[in-house]
Structures are given as structure tokens and as C-alpha cells.
Amino acid sequence: MASSSTSFLMASKTVISKTALFFSSPGIVKRSFLSFTPASPSFKPLRTRSSNATKFDEVTSSLGEDMDQIRRLQNGSDVRGVALEGEKGRTVDLTPAAVEAIAESFGEWVAATEGNGNGVIKVSLGRDPRVSGGKLSTAIFAGLGRAGCLAFDMGLATTPACFMSTLLSPFEYDASIMMTASHLPYTRNGLKFFTKRGGLTSPEVEKICDLAARKYATRQTKVSTLIKTRPKQVDFMSAYSKHLREIIKERINHPEHYDTPLKGLQIVVNAGNGSGGFFTWDVLDKLGADTFGSLYLNPDGMFPNHIPNPENKIAMSHTRAAVLENSADLGVVFDTDVDRSGVVDNKGNPINGDKLIALMSAIVLKEHPGSTVVTDARTSMGLTKFITERGGRHCLYRVGYRNVIDKGVELNKDGIETHLMMETSGHGAVKENHFLDDGAYMVVKIIIEMVRMRLAGSNEGIGSLIENLEEPLEAVELRLNILSEPRDAKAKGIEAVATFREYIEEGKLKGWELDSCGDCWVSEGCLVDSNDHPSTIDAHMYRARISDEESGEEYGWVHMRQSIHNPNIAVNMQSMLSGGCLSMTRVFRDQFLEASGIARFLDISDFDNYMDVNLEGPLVKMQNL
């Protein structure tokens, strides 16, 4: 990526040169990526005199800072930022002006990469109920209008619905944007991007943000308030709901009541005041289910009851209580934009993380024996055993739901049948559903299996499918904040993770060995793919398996990864023995962090606190490992 001064020179040359235009169809004008169009007729190019070096440096510095502000909004394959005041120590950076520049650049990118020359590019926009959504929607529509796109307003929607709006007739838009920040606080917001090929990759979003940064840095006007062509409002969620209902009816094919296959089932939905309420009244109710006892269905962008997140303990406890109180057959928890989900079985047992992956694996492997299941590299040894005992193959891959899904797509292209891709966060995709991470579709598959079990005479409940899943005795996640300027954090994170690998390869951590899982090598950091077209690295990470030096018995693993979202490093550990995580924490801190010297730019207080708390208890035999 170019430096700030280099980027300024590039932008300056573009501004003072004639604007290049190209035509894809009669009457449709689009901007070339190599050109820059002023924000308004009043725009004046920046002028400096060669004798005034100070002023030139000031302008260059200012432009560089503005461009970096937009680039920092990239969050892997998404864009996220602070949209409202209210966070201590955080300023608003996802402004209407920033969003407009990003939307305009996305429209131009779609026109250049996805356009077929048959007419205006059509882009839909959906959003979750966050209170900043209305203001930012106006900015998005303005940006799309600048790019010559025709916009369609879906209103309150889900992330999977936005993607499906590019495929389902009669909509079939060229692209879609979902405005959401998933489970993050009400002060945050963000953008997710889709074309008919699926979600954009991190490099694609990086390119769009780079284009937007140049617009934002050189534009002197604020967000446009006048939109020449107003967006057309569409009711896509009704079509999407019908799509899900038809899948359930066709696959259950109930012998007695085809149109109401869920009759006799009570299903409690916890939408967390996000976008998931539709699943209750427009899917389950219409299929005959009893949804009495459902929670927080009304959208509320302040999320007053709990964080809409299937990983959140409060969300799960509320759902569990509702299931038990109403003697329901199933509880469902959605995140804000419904691309993730978790469930509670009829006995009140929460099913998320490894348990949800195991449940989906059991269902998918019934339908597709021998299939490969792709997960991130934080899953347990017990999950690998669960999958292989059912005839499946377990491929561990990089953390990050896009990484996991893209790996599944790649394996299928290479002729390796892969029907399920899931991350421990609850993101999950199946091949039959366009490789889309759709929380509602995951629940659809669970409900279908639950009804099939009943039709076969079993009333044990969906939880019975994972009764023999072996769970780790201990699991912990610790964070290492990177003590540096934000611009240097990524490089420092890479250095720390690379040093971790070197220490293990050089045998400096006794009993620690870089992990591997057959076809997909974790020993290469889940970064170097064993094919001719390796995927782009978005974050560096390695996993090590830990064994007792005397017996050689493996008892746990440590996974170290550079965060995509924040200037920190995450360290996950799991152990099958009591005291194992404490032992690994001590070795990691004393023999790696301190001994290597990288602790000088990392905040290790999380490790110190964990050790202080747990050293009060007995260490059993792990003290001597």
C-alpha cells in the first residue's frame, strides 16, 4: 500500500488532470478507477507553491490522515466503525461523508467487475435496526447515485437476505449492501457487501476502501443531501421468508399436513431486538408452529435486553429460561443481522460453538456421507473425533468466517466434497445454500431434522445427536494488546506471531509442536494452502499441540492469532486435563513472551491476571509439566 505522501501525489495528479470517462451503454456514464471526479462544481484543486514546502507538507499530512481514517474502517471483509457518540476513548469515524465515499466506490467497483453492459447497475440496501441507520442510509444512496447506480431500499432486513436479493426472481440485483455491525454496541455500524458470487473478500474490500479514501481525502463537501434518483422501496423480506417456508415444506414433505409441517411443535425465538423477528411471524407461525414465549422480537437499535449474539451468556440464559418455562421443543438465538445463530434443546441445553458445529455435522453427514467439514482452528480435539467417527473429514483452517467459507469453496473446486463450513462464532454455511453464512438457514436445517426424527418415532430431541461429543475440560481466551501507534500495530502483530512459530520450530518450548491435520496444514499457520493458488493472508496465526514431556501424551493446544478487527493478539487454549491451561499459560508467558523479548511491545496483564486467579487453586500434577 502506498505511503501517505505517495498517495497524495497520486491523488493530486488525478485531481488536476482531465477526468477520464467511459461508457458501458448509451446514456450511462461511469467513472474509471484511474480518474477522480470532484465532489461538486465548487471543488477547487489543491495548489501549492514550490517555495512553500511547509504548506505542502501540511496538506500532504492532512490528506494522508484522512485517507488512513477510511482505510482503518476496513474490518476484514466488512467495514465497521463508530457511528454515534457514546464510547469512551472512541471518536465517530463512520460518518455520512465516509459512508458516501465507500458506497460510491463500491458502485464503481461493481460496474467495472460485475457489469454486463446491459444497463444500469442495480444495488439493494438492507439494514439492522441501529439508530444510526437512517442517516447513513441517505449517505449510501447518495454515494450509489454518484456512481450511476439504481438503488433499492429493502428497509429492515438480514444479511443473508441481502445476498439472496441478488439471486431470487424477480429481484436479482447486481449487488447488495447490508448495514450492520453484528453484535457490536449500538454506537457502532458497518457495511457488508455482496454480488451474485457471494460476499466480497478482504482484498476486494481493501481496494474499495482505498478508492474511497482518495475521494474522501480530496473532497471538500459533506455528504450529499439531494439524491437525483430516489431509491425504490421493495419488500424483499416477504419473498425471502416464503423461500425459507418452501424449503421446509418440501424437505419435510409431511404425510398428514404438508403446508403446516411444524404443527405440534413449540419453538421459542430470541431475536435480541435485532432483525430476526421475521422468522417467528413470517416463517414459523405460517408453518403451524407454536411460538408462544418468544423473546425480544421487536426491532430496537439500542438493544435494551442483551447483546444480540448466540455466544452471549445472557442471550443464551434468557432463551434457556424461556424454553424450560414453556416446555418448548427448541429455542433459537439470532445475532443482530441473522447471519449467525445458536439453539437450545428441549432440556434447556445451550448449543453453540463446538456443539453447534457438531450438531450441524451430524445432520450434514447423514445427508452427505464422507463429506469434509471445514472449521476454524479453535475447535476441540473432541470435535475432530466426533466428525471422523461419523465418517467425515475435519479440515482445520484460519480463523475468520470468510476464510472458513472460502476454504470450503476452494476444496469443492479441487474435487473434495465439502458440504459444511462453520466457525466457532456461529457463522455457518452449507454448499446447498450458495455457501452463504445464513443463521436462519442453519436453524431451518435443524428444524427439518427435528421433524424427521419425530416422524421416525423419536422424541429424544435434537440434543440427542451430540450426546457423545467430548468437550475440553478447560478452555480460555486471553488477549495481548499491542503497545504501539495504530499504524504500526499490524506489523508488530505479525512479528509476534512469527516469533511464536520460530520458537516452537527451534525446540525452545519443550513438548510444544506445530499442529497439523492432514490435508490442511495448521503447521503452516493455516496460511499457506497446499495448492497452486493460495488464499490471501488477512491475519497471521499458528496452533501448537501440547504434550506431556514424560509420557508424550497430548493434553491440549494453544492457538495464537493476530486480530483482524483490533490492535491485539488473541491466544486461545484448550486442555483435556485439570490445570492444563494454567500450565500452558505459564510456559507461554515465561518461556516465550518474556524470553523472546516481544513482551516489550505487548500488554501481558491478561496473562498475569489469569495466573494470579488460578494459582490460588491446586495445580494437580500439571505443575511439573
Side-chain angles (χ1 to χ4, degrees), residues 349-597:
N349 298 312
I351 301 177
N352 55 11
D354 276 13
K355 291 182 179 179
L356 184 61
I357 300 175
L359 177 58
M360 290 304 304
S361 297
I363 294 171
V364 168
L365 288 171
K366 279 186 180 181
E367 300 170 342
H368 305 283
S371 173
T372 293
V373 175
V374 183
T375 73
D376 64 272
R378 295 172 298 179
T379 53
S380 67
M381 294 181 285
L383 179 64
T384 299
K385 182 179 179 182
F386 182 91
I387 292 171
T388 55
E389 285 179 345
R390 282 155 183 77
R393 300 173 67 193
H394 187 194
C395 173
L396 298 173
Y397 200 57
R398 294 201 294 266
V399 175
Y401 73 95
R402 283 296 343 155
N403 294 329
V404 171
I405 293 172
D406 290 346
K407 182 63 175 178
V409 173
E410 173 195 299
L411 289 175
N412 278 287
K413 288 181 179 178
D414 290 344
I416 301 172
E417 189 175 11
T418 306
H419 286 272
L420 176 64
M421 301 121 262
M422 288 200 75
E423 196 188 36
T424 50
S425 64
H427 280 286
V430 286
K431 180 180 179 181
E432 69 194 47
N433 191 41
H434 313 283
F435 299 99
L436 173 64
D437 54 318
D438 185 343
Y441 194 87
M442 288 291 164
V443 174
V444 162
K445 288 193 70 66
I446 291 171
I447 290 174
I448 290 171
E449 180 63 25
M450 187 168 64
V451 177
R452 286 174 174 171
M453 290 171 64
R454 284 202 169 191
L455 289 174
S458 172
N459 291 311
E460 292 183 342
I462 204 74
S464 63
L465 295 180
I466 58 171
E467 284 179 342
N468 63 343
L469 172 66
E470 296 178 10
E471 299 183 68
L473 187 62
E474 298 178 343
V476 64
E477 179 177 281
L478 302 173
R479 294 276 175 170
L480 296 160
N481 289 323
I482 299 173
L483 306 175
S484 70
E485 293 294 325
R487 68 174 65 92
D488 300 323
K490 184 174 182 179
K492 292 292 186 183
I494 293 173
E495 179 185 346
V497 176
T499 304
F500 178 63
R501 172 177 181 164
E502 292 170 4
Y503 253 59
I504 297 175
E505 288 181 329
E506 294 170 3
K508 294 180 179 179
L509 301 178
K510 302 300 181 182
W512 292 45
E513 183 179 355
L514 290 174
D515 203 359
S516 64
C517 59
D519 294 334
C520 186
W521 287 85
V522 186
S523 61
E524 294 176 329
C526 289
L527 300 173
V528 183
D529 297 318
S530 56
N531 56 40
D532 295 331
H533 305 286
S535 301
T536 303
I537 297 171
D538 55 4
H540 294 258
M541 58 194 76
Y542 293 97
R543 173 168 143 166
R545 61 173 179 263
I546 319 300
S547 302
D548 177 74
E549 287 186 63
E550 295 182 3
S551 67
E553 183 179 353
E554 182 180 349
Y555 67 85
W557 55 257
V558 174
H559 185 275
M560 182 181 184
R561 64 184 171 91
Q562 173 193 21
S563 174
I564 298 174
H565 310 312
N566 300 296
N568 63 42
I569 292 171
V571 180
N572 290 86
M573 304 181 191
Q574 286 190 8
S575 173
M576 303 300 288
L577 295 177
S578 177
C581 283
L582 180 60
S583 173
M584 292 185 287
T585 300
R586 185 194 297 109
V587 171
F588 190 90
R589 188 194 67 173
D590 296 345
Q591 299 181 35
F592 168 58
L593 293 176
E594 296 283 7
S596 68

Side-chain angles (χ1 to χ4, degrees), residues 62-337:
S62 177
L63 279 175
E65 291 174 3
D66 288 342
M67 294 176 74
D68 286 343
Q69 178 179 333
I70 300 298
R71 288 171 176 145
R72 284 196 295 268
L73 292 173
Q74 183 188 357
N75 192 291
S77 58
D78 305 339
V79 165
R80 287 184 186 173
V82 180
L84 294 174
E85 298 284 356
E87 287 193 46
K88 185 177 180 180
R90 294 292 299 267
T91 58
V92 173
D93 53 10
L94 193 71
T95 62
V99 166
E100 182 185 23
I102 293 170
E104 179 183 357
S105 298
F106 175 63
E108 293 175 345
W109 180 87
V110 173
T113 60
E114 308 294 324
N116 52 24
N118 293 332
V120 178
I121 295 296
K122 298 179 180 180
V123 182
S124 63
L125 171 68
R127 60 186 177 95
D128 71 19
R130 292 170 190 274
V131 294
S132 60
K135 178 174 64 175
L136 295 182
S137 291
T138 300
I140 290 177
F141 292 135
L144 292 174
R146 282 181 181 270
C149 299
L150 188 59
F152 294 82
D153 185 3
M154 293 169 55
L156 185 69
T158 68
T159 293
C162 283
F163 168 67
M164 292 303 296
S165 73
T166 69
L167 300 181
L168 289 185
S169 177
F171 304 92
E172 299 173 308
Y173 304 124
D174 298 289
S176 185
I177 301 173
M178 176 66 183
M179 189 190 308
T180 182
S182 189
H183 62 282
L184 295 179
Y186 75 92
T187 52
R188 306 289 182 94
N189 216 326
L191 306 175
K192 296 183 178 182
F193 307 96
F194 299 93
T195 66
K196 295 179 186 295
R197 295 182 289 108
L200 268 62
T201 64
S202 293
E204 289 170 335
V205 175
E206 181 179 2
K207 182 174 183 180
I208 289 167
C209 286
D210 188 55
L211 294 167
R214 300 182 188 189
K215 292 179 174 65
Y216 181 80
T218 53
R219 188 169 285 165
Q220 293 184 346
T221 60
K222 295 183 178 180
V223 62
S224 303
T225 55
L226 296 176
I227 304 174
K228 294 181 180 180
T229 304
R230 298 200 63 80
K232 182 179 179 181
Q233 293 186 335
V234 294
D235 180 17
F236 180 78
M237 289 305 295
S238 293
Y240 175 67
S241 299
K242 181 181 179 181
H243 168 70
L244 295 180
R245 293 198 306 269
E246 292 303 315
I247 289 172
I248 294 173
K249 288 194 292 186
E250 290 174 7
R251 295 187 186 175
I252 291 178
N253 192 22
H254 202 287
E256 298 176 3
H257 34 88
Y258 178 86
D259 290 324
T260 55
L262 305 187
K263 186 176 180 180
L265 286 178
Q266 183 171 8
I267 302 175
V268 171
V269 174
N270 182 351
N273 300 114
S275 298
F278 83 97
F279 194 78
T280 306
W281 54 71
D282 221 9
V283 178
L284 300 179
D285 287 348
K286 291 185 177 181
L287 293 176
D290 176 2
T291 58
F292 182 79
S294 291
L295 304 169
Y296 319 133
L297 302 181
N298 294 327
D300 186 335
M302 299 297 289
F303 311 122
N305 294 290
H306 59 69
I307 297 172
N309 183 359
E311 292 184 288
N312 182 264
K313 292 182 179 179
I314 298 176
M316 272 296 182
S317 67
H318 285 199
T319 311
R320 180 177 182 273
V323 168
L324 294 175
E325 181 180 347
N326 293 280
S327 300
D329 299 290
L330 185 72
V332 177
V333 184
F334 289 126
D335 76 337
T336 315
D337 56 326

